[in-house]
Amino acid sequence: MAVIKKKKGNFLEDFRVGHVFHHKVGKTLTAGLFNAFTEFDMTTNPLSKNKRYAERYGFRDLVAPPGLVMNIVFSQSVEDISENARANLEYINMRFGAPLYIGDTIEVASTVLGVKPSGREPDRGVVHVQTSGRNQDGEVVLTYERKVQVWKGNADATVTEATIDRVPEVACTPQLPVYDASRRYAELARLTSPDTYYEDLNPGDTIEHSRGRVVTTEHVALTAMLDNTSQVHCNQFMVDQNPDKYIGGQLIVFGGIPFNLCLGLSCPDVADNAVTDLVYTTGRHTAPIFAGDTVFASTELRAKRDWPERPDLGIVATTLRGHKFVRKGDAWEKVEIFYLEREIAVKRRSHYA
Amino acid sequence: MAVIKKKKGNFLEDFRVGHVFHHKVGKTLTAGLFNAFTEFDMTTNPLSKNKRYAERYGFRDLVAPPGLVMNIVFSQSVEDISENARANLEYINMRFGAPLYIGDTIEVASTVLGVKPSGREPDRGVVHVQTSGRNQDGEVVLTYERKVQVWKGNADATVTEATIDRVPEVACTPQLPVYDASRRYAELARLTSPDTYYEDLNPGDTIEHSRGRVVTTEHVALTAMLDNTSQVHCNQFMVDQNPDKYIGGQLIVFGGIPFNLCLGLSCPDVADNAVTDLVYTTGRHTAPIFAGDTVFASTELRAKRDWPERPDLGIVATTLRGHKFVRKGDAWEKVEIFYLEREIAVKRRSHYA
Amino acid sequence: MAVIKKKKGNFLEDFRVGHVFHHKVGKTLTAGLFNAFTEFDMTTNPLSKNKRYAERYGFRDLVAPPGLVMNIVFSQSVEDISENARANLEYINMRFGAPLYIGDTIEVASTVLGVKPSGREPDRGVVHVQTSGRNQDGEVVLTYERKVQVWKGNADATVTEATIDRVPEVACTPQLPVYDASRRYAELARLTSPDTYYEDLNPGDTIEHSRGRVVTTEHVALTAMLDNTSQVHCNQFMVDQNPDKYIGGQLIVFGGIPFNLCLGLSCPDVADNAVTDLVYTTGRHTAPIFAGDTVFASTELRAKRDWPERPDLGIVATTLRGHKFVRKGDAWEKVEIFYLEREIAVKRRSHYA
């Protein structure tokens, strides 16, 4: 006869370098979840919207956009890694592999790469993990490292500080259909922008994407749909009891939502002629988002280069930034909310239009 | 090295009579989008809800209700035609063709029929277009004209006023399964109302549909799901910066949403025994809707007539009106929000029950 | 020439003991509805989330969780039984049969078991019904009784008080795949909790589930998706006109939503290793929920017993309670909102891990 309240998630002292978490549950991408996310964010790449187009390009079906891939894999790791986190510090070397389709089932595992208590603040520290998601055929769809600041559960607990000797190598390369001129891609070229091919993107330019999108309380349902169990996104009573403890004194929008939204807002200007995102070398959330905020984005084109194996494509290195405006007296202050170094594989007009 | 903000959509001076826009992206109807719209509006026609019933009637699968067909085709045209519009003035001769199913891909084109600058107000004018949506087999699912009031982008630009000589003919007729008594329709007659057959609908009567439905901030997500890029529906910051410029000083609900909702609210009284909507001869939004408004609808039965090719069906001409109530001091004022002249093909009890 | 407002639903005087309502419309479970409900509630049973896992267990596809089964069947009965209800009093003997899959079509019928006018209040009384939902193959997926307090439509109408002689027997037993050791279930044991097997659940313990979930205005859309036509959940104008008449003076959240949510919140602690819910012997909503309330749940483990036909499973009798917190001055009062006596069939570690 007992009243039991089970511990959820891990605290700083629970992490051991080298340990591998096989995250529970797993997730089949239903057409419902695909719709909720793909269409939520104003993505305009026909590979994610137009089945006829995706099949013409040699994909099996509509392709999940990168923000949805990231959201699914990341959320599966939340309970074990960051249910008791204070802040997500950095995404590192996030790479895309097999395309993700409706009906695919994703299961996720994470390896602990490092544990480091804070020098100044005894109640927290940083956990460094590598997380990979695989589909039902064992193919990696996404792999990345992240650093997250995690609370200690017991102030007196001993934390085993360590760093892994060598980050495990995870084979993860984009699986793209081969280029095949007999597919007559140009017949469908009118479905994308005429000025977003590799030839059009000029390093040095910064594109301010014109559209904005308010985030409503829909964020609570979207986060639940992802199986993200972090309470700061959905437990209003917890926040109301102790608003000073929580940033802004209200429910914070899960970072995966502005991440997805910034990718979508940038799409018509830089990514509707991309065939895949390749890698996010580094990324971070630089300010929180709350219901009622309108999210905007810009893309800095940093560099571009040939892709030797794929003469039909080129690689464009960009920086994607998100921002919102916060009222200060009678004025509005522009606040950066998101920073992502992003490489994408973009079609060449010479081959596709 | 430049900061670039691309123009989105067209302004009055950009339109040329006779020009054909092939709208970008295209849209595959996922089961997620089907659910979000079909079930959102309280449609009660089993053709859109009950697969067993739809198949018994000879349809391949659940049939998209007319409000969803309209919303998908219309939204594909927004970026090119009305992203810079001030108001949508009129829908004209909106006709339904092939049924739309989950998994179908719709691509849309519009022809400019007329351009007319305003005589009184130099910053705007009216664009008249014909828009048609086709499925992956090239069949027309919907075609219609609309008139839209569009801003000029540059006050000094020259507008080429013109009207097309002849409105292009677009073949678009409902594709209905043949009547086949061996299907024993009456076995499923209990799934629809017993008093909404052709024989029951009496010209001259007006039916006040009893149910109402509040529109919440869900409208932002629903509009995004449709790929409608108009900023007045989702860019809260844009409105907050300049509330006097925008009607009501808040985000306006996209007209396709009350359009869909009025069709749904009317369904149990006049359309749950309809097999298709045929034509909307004219339609317009007569007042804006905001989050928090409750939408109601009524149907005036104007006339009915035989359909010579289909003795099992009859044609009913109706006027569908939407309304809401606005508080004025201590009272509520009834405000018409939507007007649609609508013809539907309705089953005869003699053949189906 | 008439203005017609059709009656919706039935009043107390309309019910006759023994009458069978074959409810209209029917409902195909789309992937969109499956997503909206299954993921909304933080269910963590992989049978409803991970197709690879569900198939390994011998199910045909992802399995609808019990809260979704209940919501679909119940909502189909609302128009005929409770559109004019004042309150839902009790669920009785709710039993689960065939698994419900995406693409299945459910049709529902109800038999009137009893009609009893209130002794004290002449404007209302209690209707007792038995409701069963069947899939397209005629298999029962859910059957239950409920008692509901219904308004009279006409204060002077005669109510025919009666009770049925014998409650009809409805064959409804869980249809579970057979246990087959060659399936190597243990390979996937890492996808569920290690401590929620039959062996782990100790009668006498009460588990306070740690997570909470705020209900937002999303409830209006969720209720519409279920085809629940009760106006107290979505007709804001009706409530605003006469707030004193409606509990809390605002839209009430449909009871099926906290019902579903409490099941989901309890899942990681007691039901992620359950293969089916068996029976809810009694259940009731003990306080209303409004948008903004955060829902919590606890489970009391009352008893457990062998299941002779299934040595791989055991039966656990629980009481699931929901609660919320209401501010009283500076304090918060804990209010029970839901009570459900629930039996579930749980895997034995000896057979599955």
Side-chain angles (χ1 to χ4, degrees):
Chain A
M1 301 275 278
V3 174
I4 298 168
K5 187 147 185 164
K6 288 193 193 177
K7 191 190 75 162
K8 293 291 174 199
N10 293 294
F11 291 95
L12 186 64
E13 61 266 30
D14 299 322
F15 289 92
R16 293 289 176 277
V17 164
H19 180 73
V20 178
F21 291 97
H22 293 281
H23 305 302
K24 287 189 295 187
V25 190
K27 189 157 193 83
T28 298
L29 175 52
T30 66
L33 183 62
F34 188 92
N35 177 66
F37 267 80
T38 303
E39 321 241 36
F40 148 75
D41 71 3
M42 297 184 155
T43 292
T44 60
N45 190 319
L47 292 174
S48 300
K49 305 291 260 187
N50 182 326
K51 188 176 176 182
R52 184 169 95 96
Y53 182 97
E55 290 176 346
R56 178 71 74 96
Y57 271 72
F59 291 95
R60 171 157 55 90
D61 197 348
L62 295 176
V63 181
L68 178 55
V69 178
M70 175 274 173
N71 266 306
I72 289 176
V73 174
F74 183 95
S75 296
Q76 291 285 314
S77 79
V78 166
E79 179 175 349
D80 287 330
I81 306 301
S82 51
E83 180 138 344
N84 301 312
R86 181 177 176 277
N88 201 42
L89 301 180
E90 188 181 2
Y91 308 104
I92 303 166
N93 194 27
M94 183 177 280
R95 292 175 294 137
F96 292 82
L100 175 58
Y101 298 108
I102 293 170
D104 281 355
T105 298
I106 300 301
E107 294 172 8
V108 178
S110 297
T111 303
V112 181
L113 304 182
V115 177
K116 186 179 166 62
S118 169
R120 280 181 304 184
E121 304 186 276
D123 61 352
R124 67 193 77 167
V126 174
V127 176
H128 181 188
V129 295
Q130 181 189 55
T131 297
S132 304
R134 289 178 163 76
N135 66 19
Q136 64 283 353
D137 299 318
E139 300 167 318
V140 175
V141 298
L142 188 79
T143 186
Y144 64 95
E145 297 169 39
R146 74 163 158 142
K147 290 185 175 173
V148 56
Q149 189 179 50
V150 179
W151 296 110
K152 286 182 75 171
N154 177 343
D156 301 327
T158 304
V159 175
T160 312
E161 180 171 354
T163 304
I164 207 163
D165 293 332
R166 209 170 55 90
V167 177
E169 280 188 36
V170 177
C172 178
T173 47
Q175 294 179 22
L176 297 175
V178 295
Y179 179 80
D180 174 359
S182 75
R183 289 183 178 275
R184 294 172 293 147
Y185 304 100
E187 287 180 0
L188 300 187
R190 60 181 165 73
L191 296 172
T192 56
S193 300
D195 59 355
T196 57
Y197 289 96
Y198 183 72
E199 292 89 335
D200 301 310
L201 300 175
N202 299 314
D205 285 352
T206 292
I207 300 174
E208 296 193 351
H209 308 301
S210 62
R211 293 173 184 147
R213 168 69 155 86
V214 69
V215 176
T216 71
T217 54
E218 69 194 321
H219 76 88
V220 178
L222 287 168
T223 301
M225 282 181 199
L226 291 166
D227 308 330
N228 184 318
T229 54
S230 178
Q231 291 287 292
V232 294
H233 308 312
C234 68
N235 190 331
Q236 185 73 52
F237 173 66
M238 181 185 80
V239 173
D240 289 347
Q241 277 183 295
N242 199 354
D244 292 343
K245 178 175 173 184
Y246 298 99
I247 298 169
Q250 53 185 305
L251 295 177
I252 297 183
V253 175
F254 163 49
I257 289 177
F259 193 129
N260 186 55
L261 196 44
C262 289
L263 289 169
L265 292 169
S266 77
C267 195
D269 294 329
V270 300
D272 71 341
N273 276 308
V275 293
T276 190
D277 281 32
L278 295 168
V279 60
Y280 305 149
T281 45
T282 181
R284 55 188 181 274
H285 298 284
T286 48
I289 283 286
F290 304 106
D293 287 343
T294 304
V295 174
F296 296 87
S298 69
T299 296
E300 178 188 346
L301 302 171
R302 288 188 289 107
K304 65 183 192 178
R305 62 184 191 274
D306 293 342
W307 189 358
E309 299 85 355
R310 290 296 299 247
D312 57 312
L313 306 173
I315 297 173
V316 181
T318 74
T319 299
L320 172 63
R321 290 182 179 85
H323 60 271
K324 67 174 183 179
F325 293 88
V326 177
R327 203 185 279 272
K328 294 272 163 142
D330 289 343
W332 294 90
E333 182 185 351
K334 182 174 175 176
V335 175
E336 186 180 284
I337 58 157
F338 184 58
Y339 177 94
L340 186 74
E341 298 189 5
R342 173 194 193 197
E343 292 194 3
I344 53 182
V346 181
K347 294 184 281 180
R348 291 179 192 264
R349 181 184 288 106
S350 55
H351 287 64
Y352 287 94
Chain B
M1 303 274 277
V3 173
I4 297 167
K5 187 148 185 165
K6 289 193 191 176
K7 191 189 76 163
K8 293 293 174 198
N10 293 293
F11 291 96
L12 186 64
E13 61 267 30
D14 298 322
F15 289 92
R16 293 289 175 278
V17 164
H19 181 74
V20 177
F21 289 97
H22 294 282
H23 305 302
K24 286 190 296 187
V25 190
K27 188 154 195 87
T28 298
L29 175 53
T30 65
L33 183 61
F34 188 92
N35 177 65
F37 267 80
T38 302
E39 321 241 37
F40 147 76
D41 70 3
M42 298 185 156
T43 292
T44 59
N45 189 319
L47 293 175
S48 299
K49 305 291 259 187
N50 182 326
K51 188 177 175 181
R52 183 169 96 96
Y53 181 96
E55 290 176 347
R56 175 72 73 99
Y57 271 72
F59 291 96
R60 171 156 57 88
D61 197 347
L62 294 176
V63 181
L68 179 55
V69 178
M70 175 275 172
N71 266 306
I72 289 177
V73 174
F74 183 95
S75 296
Q76 290 285 313
S77 79
V78 166
E79 179 175 349
D80 288 328
I81 306 301
S82 52
E83 180 138 343
N84 301 312
R86 183 178 175 276
N88 200 43
L89 302 180
E90 189 182 2
Y91 308 103
I92 304 167
N93 194 27
M94 182 177 280
R95 292 176 292 138
F96 291 82
L100 175 59
Y101 298 108
I102 293 170
D104 281 355
T105 298
I106 301 301
E107 294 172 10
V108 179
S110 297
T111 303
V112 181
L113 304 181
V115 178
K116 186 179 166 62
S118 167
R120 282 182 302 186
E121 303 187 276
D123 61 351
R124 65 193 77 166
V126 175
V127 176
H128 180 188
V129 295
Q130 181 189 56
T131 296
S132 304
R134 288 179 163 78
N135 67 18
Q136 64 282 351
D137 299 319
E139 300 168 319
V140 175
V141 298
L142 188 78
T143 186
Y144 64 94
E145 297 170 40
R146 74 164 158 142
K147 291 185 175 174
V148 55
Q149 189 180 49
V150 179
W151 296 110
K152 286 181 74 171
N154 176 343
D156 301 327
T158 304
V159 175
T160 311
E161 180 171 355
T163 304
I164 207 163
D165 293 332
R166 209 170 55 89
V167 176
E169 280 187 34
V170 177
C172 177
T173 46
Q175 295 178 20
L176 297 175
V178 295
Y179 179 79
D180 174 1
S182 74
R183 290 184 176 274
R184 293 172 294 148
Y185 304 99
E187 286 180 1
L188 300 186
R190 60 180 165 72
L191 296 171
T192 56
S193 299
D195 58 355
T196 58
Y197 290 94
Y198 183 73
E199 292 88 337
D200 301 311
L201 300 175
N202 298 315
D205 285 352
T206 292
I207 301 174
E208 295 193 353
H209 308 302
S210 64
R211 293 172 183 147
R213 167 71 156 83
V214 70
V215 176
T216 72
T217 55
E218 70 194 321
H219 76 87
V220 178
L222 287 168
T223 302
M225 282 181 199
L226 292 166
D227 307 331
N228 184 319
T229 54
S230 179
Q231 292 287 291
V232 295
H233 309 312
C234 68
N235 190 330
Q236 185 72 53
F237 173 65
M238 182 184 80
V239 173
D240 287 346
Q241 277 182 295
N242 199 353
D244 293 342
K245 179 175 173 184
Y246 298 98
I247 298 169
Q250 53 185 305
L251 295 177
I252 298 183
V253 175
F254 163 50
I257 289 176
F259 192 130
N260 186 56
L261 195 45
C262 288
L263 289 169
L265 292 169
S266 77
C267 195
D269 294 329
V270 299
D272 72 340
N273 275 309
V275 292
T276 189
D277 282 32
L278 295 169
V279 60
Y280 304 151
T281 45
T282 182
R284 56 187 180 273
H285 299 284
T286 48
I289 282 285
F290 304 105
D293 287 343
T294 303
V295 174
F296 297 87
S298 69
T299 296
E300 179 189 346
L301 302 172
R302 286 188 291 107
K304 65 183 190 176
R305 62 184 190 273
D306 292 342
W307 188 358
E309 299 85 353
R310 291 294 301 247
D312 57 312
L313 305 173
I315 296 174
V316 181
T318 74
T319 298
L320 173 63
R321 289 181 178 85
H323 59 271
K324 67 175 182 179
F325 293 88
V326 177
R327 202 185 280 271
K328 294 272 165 144
D330 288 344
W332 295 89
E333 182 185 352
K334 182 174 175 176
V335 175
E336 186 181 283
I337 58 156
F338 184 58
Y339 178 94
L340 187 74
E341 298 189 4
R342 173 194 193 198
E343 293 194 4
I344 52 183
V346 180
K347 294 184 283 181
R348 291 178 191 265
R349 180 183 289 105
S350 55
H351 287 65
Y352 287 93
Chain C
M1 301 274 279
V3 173
I4 298 168
K5 188 147 184 165
K6 290 193 193 176
K7 190 189 76 162
K8 294 293 174 198
N10 293 294
F11 291 96
L12 185 64
E13 62 267 30
D14 299 322
F15 290 91
R16 292 289 174 279
V17 164
H19 180 73
V20 179
F21 290 97
H22 294 280
H23 305 302
K24 285 190 296 186
V25 190
K27 188 154 195 85
T28 298
L29 175 53
T30 67
L33 183 62
F34 188 91
N35 178 65
F37 268 80
T38 303
E39 321 242 35
F40 148 76
D41 70 3
M42 298 183 155
T43 291
T44 59
N45 190 319
L47 292 175
S48 299
K49 305 291 259 186
N50 182 327
K51 187 176 174 181
R52 184 169 95 95
Y53 181 97
E55 290 175 348
R56 177 72 74 97
Y57 271 72
F59 291 96
R60 171 156 57 87
D61 196 348
L62 295 176
V63 181
L68 178 55
V69 178
M70 175 274 172
N71 266 305
I72 289 177
V73 174
F74 183 94
S75 296
Q76 290 285 314
S77 79
V78 166
E79 180 175 348
D80 288 329
I81 306 301
S82 52
E83 180 138 343
N84 301 313
R86 182 177 177 278
N88 200 42
L89 301 180
E90 188 181 3
Y91 309 104
I92 303 165
N93 194 27
M94 182 177 280
R95 293 174 294 137
F96 292 82
L100 175 59
Y101 299 108
I102 293 171
D104 281 355
T105 298
I106 301 301
E107 294 171 10
V108 179
S110 297
T111 303
V112 181
L113 303 182
V115 178
K116 186 178 165 63
S118 169
R120 280 182 304 185
E121 304 187 276
D123 61 352
R124 67 193 76 167
V126 175
V127 176
H128 180 188
V129 294
Q130 180 189 55
T131 297
S132 304
R134 288 178 163 77
N135 67 17
Q136 63 284 348
D137 300 319
E139 299 166 319
V140 175
V141 298
L142 187 78
T143 187
Y144 63 95
E145 297 169 40
R146 74 164 157 141
K147 290 186 175 174
V148 55
Q149 189 181 49
V150 178
W151 295 111
K152 285 182 74 171
N154 177 343
D156 301 326
T158 304
V159 176
T160 313
E161 181 172 354
T163 304
I164 206 163
D165 293 331
R166 210 169 54 91
V167 176
E169 279 187 36
V170 177
C172 177
T173 46
Q175 295 179 19
L176 296 176
V178 296
Y179 179 79
D180 173 0
S182 75
R183 290 183 177 273
R184 294 172 293 148
Y185 304 99
E187 287 180 0
L188 300 186
R190 59 181 165 71
L191 296 171
T192 55
S193 300
D195 58 356
T196 57
Y197 290 95
Y198 182 74
E199 292 88 337
D200 301 309
L201 301 175
N202 298 315
D205 285 351
T206 292
I207 301 176
E208 296 194 351
H209 309 300
S210 64
R211 293 173 184 147
R213 166 72 156 83
V214 69
V215 176
T216 72
T217 56
E218 71 195 320
H219 77 87
V220 178
L222 287 168
T223 302
M225 283 181 199
L226 291 166
D227 308 331
N228 183 318
T229 54
S230 178
Q231 292 287 292
V232 294
H233 309 311
C234 68
N235 190 331
Q236 186 71 54
F237 173 65
M238 182 184 80
V239 173
D240 288 346
Q241 278 183 294
N242 199 353
D244 292 343
K245 178 175 174 185
Y246 298 98
I247 298 169
Q250 54 185 305
L251 295 177
I252 297 183
V253 176
F254 164 50
I257 290 178
F259 192 129
N260 186 55
L261 195 45
C262 289
L263 289 169
L265 291 169
S266 77
C267 194
D269 294 329
V270 301
D272 71 341
N273 276 310
V275 292
T276 190
D277 282 32
L278 295 168
V279 60
Y280 304 150
T281 44
T282 181
R284 55 186 181 273
H285 300 283
T286 47
I289 282 286
F290 304 105
D293 287 343
T294 303
V295 173
F296 297 87
S298 69
T299 296
E300 178 188 347
L301 302 171
R302 287 188 289 109
K304 64 183 192 178
R305 63 183 190 273
D306 293 341
W307 189 357
E309 299 84 353
R310 291 293 301 246
D312 56 312
L313 305 173
I315 297 173
V316 181
T318 74
T319 299
L320 172 63
R321 289 182 178 85
H323 60 271
K324 66 175 183 178
F325 292 88
V326 177
R327 201 185 281 272
K328 294 272 164 145
D330 288 343
W332 294 89
E333 182 186 352
K334 183 174 175 176
V335 175
E336 186 180 284
I337 59 157
F338 184 59
Y339 177 93
L340 187 74
E341 298 189 4
R342 174 194 191 196
E343 293 194 2
I344 52 182
V346 180
K347 294 184 282 181
R348 292 179 191 264
R349 180 183 289 103
S350 55
H351 288 65
Y352 288 94

